Amino acid sequence: EVQLVETGGGLVRPGSSLKLSCATSGFTFSNTWMNWVRQAPGKGLEWVALIKDKYSNYEANYAESVKGRFTISRDDSKSRVYLQMNTLRDQDTATYYCTRGDYWGQGVMVTVSS
Amino acid sequence: DVVMTQTPVSLSVSLGNQASISCRSSQSLLHSDGNTYLSWYLQKPGQSPQLLIYLASNRFSGVSNRFSGSGSGTDFTLKISRVEPEDLGVYYCFQHTHLPFTFGSGTKLEIK
């Protein structure tokens, strides 16, 4: 059974950092492209970042809204994908989902507020 | 960036009737590899999105055959036949042909 479980959310101040983690199981993680998608309270879905697999040199891509502040990474030995979020803003407040496209995690809430 | 324009914003449908949602992209979603990376998701209240349709017209495993996707290039449609109570929620189209990937703004389906 495919499973994705996000952790690491919380309440942080503007300008601070947070690292989300997504633990996966039930599929061959190492050759799977992984994404982070977020959803601000009461709003629609926003794609955040993609990390490709080793065959694509772990290429990473970002939404313009997070480029230069967020970094997606992966550890194939642990079947985990991460999202390092720096210089957080109020507008980054959202539920963050880890997804491979067909399967999604339950999401983790990040609140940025002073 | 590719803009995904979804219509209508909301839809109220009687049980047993058909619903149709349109999604138009600002650029063709035909990839150089020959695939069209257009997906449809349903997000039920309080839940994570769930995949309904991939590659524009392929039903994902376990998805009812009441759901069908069609279209090519820049125009796509999701049809839900014989609407049931469990179909309520917000439907999103999503393109992953061009980076950055983008979602439509969503269509809220309500049951009359």
Side-chain angles (χ1 to χ4, degrees):
Chain A
E1 181 192 5
V2 173
Q3 290 194 327
L4 302 94
V5 180
E6 304 94 337
T7 55
L11 170 63
V12 295
R13 304 287 192 209
S16 61
S17 299
L18 201 60
K19 187 172 185 177
L20 305 182
S21 176
C22 174
T24 76
S25 61
F27 64 99
T28 305
F29 179 82
S30 60
N31 62 9
T32 302
W33 295 12
M34 296 296 299
N35 300 269
W36 286 95
V37 172
R38 69 184 180 182
Q39 186 171 38
K43 303 296 184 184
L45 300 171
E46 179 188 15
W47 175 82
V48 172
L50 162 74
I51 187 163
K52 298 181 180 179
D53 60 16
K54 60 185 174 185
Y55 305 106
S56 300
N57 296 315
Y58 299 116
E59 177 186 327
N61 291 274
Y62 301 92
E64 199 59 41
S65 57
V66 307
K67 201 175 289 184
R69 300 187 300 121
F70 290 13
T71 301
I72 188 171
S73 62
R74 62 191 296 158
D75 184 336
D76 289 350
S77 68
K78 295 181 179 177
S79 297
R80 284 179 179 256
V81 61
Y82 305 95
L83 188 67
Q84 175 68 48
M85 305 184 293
N86 298 331
T87 320
L88 282 160
R89 305 167 178 165
D90 291 355
Q91 311 94 293
D92 296 318
T93 294
T95 297
Y96 285 74
Y97 297 99
C98 159
T99 175
R100 61 175 219 180
D102 49 0
Y103 291 92
W104 294 59
Q106 83 287 351
V108 64
M109 185 68 200
V110 172
T111 303
V112 184
S113 175
S114 52
Chain B
D1 297 4
V2 176
V3 177
M4 304 295 285
T5 303
Q6 237 182 285
T7 54
V9 171
S10 63
L11 197 51
S12 184
V13 180
S14 297
L15 293 176
N17 283 5
Q18 178 174 279
S20 182
I21 300 170
S22 170
C23 182
R24 289 187 173 172
S25 56
S26 59
Q27 298 176 36
S28 172
L29 299 186
L30 178 61
H31 194 277
S32 56
D33 66 6
N35 289 316
T36 296
Y37 294 101
L38 185 283
S39 300
W40 289 96
Y41 293 93
L42 165 59
Q43 187 174 32
K44 296 182 179 181
Q47 296 186 18
S48 301
Q50 56 189 81
L51 178 65
L52 300 173
I53 302 290
Y54 65 97
L55 296 177
S57 61
N58 296 272
R59 253 188 316 274
F60 185 54
S61 173
V63 174
S64 168
N65 59 11
R66 296 184 299 102
F67 292 89
S68 63
S70 63
S72 62
T74 61
D75 286 342
F76 303 90
T77 301
L78 176 71
K79 284 191 165 69
I80 311 162
S81 62
R82 306 183 305 281
V83 166
E84 297 182 0
E86 68 215 42
D87 300 336
L88 75 87
V90 182
Y91 291 79
Y92 295 94
C93 57
F94 173 65
Q95 71 81 19
H96 52 118
T97 295
H98 304 286
L99 283 159
F101 300 159
T102 45
F103 285 92
S105 52
T107 296
K108 186 173 185 178
L109 177 66
E110 298 173 329
I111 309 297
K112 272 187 192 172

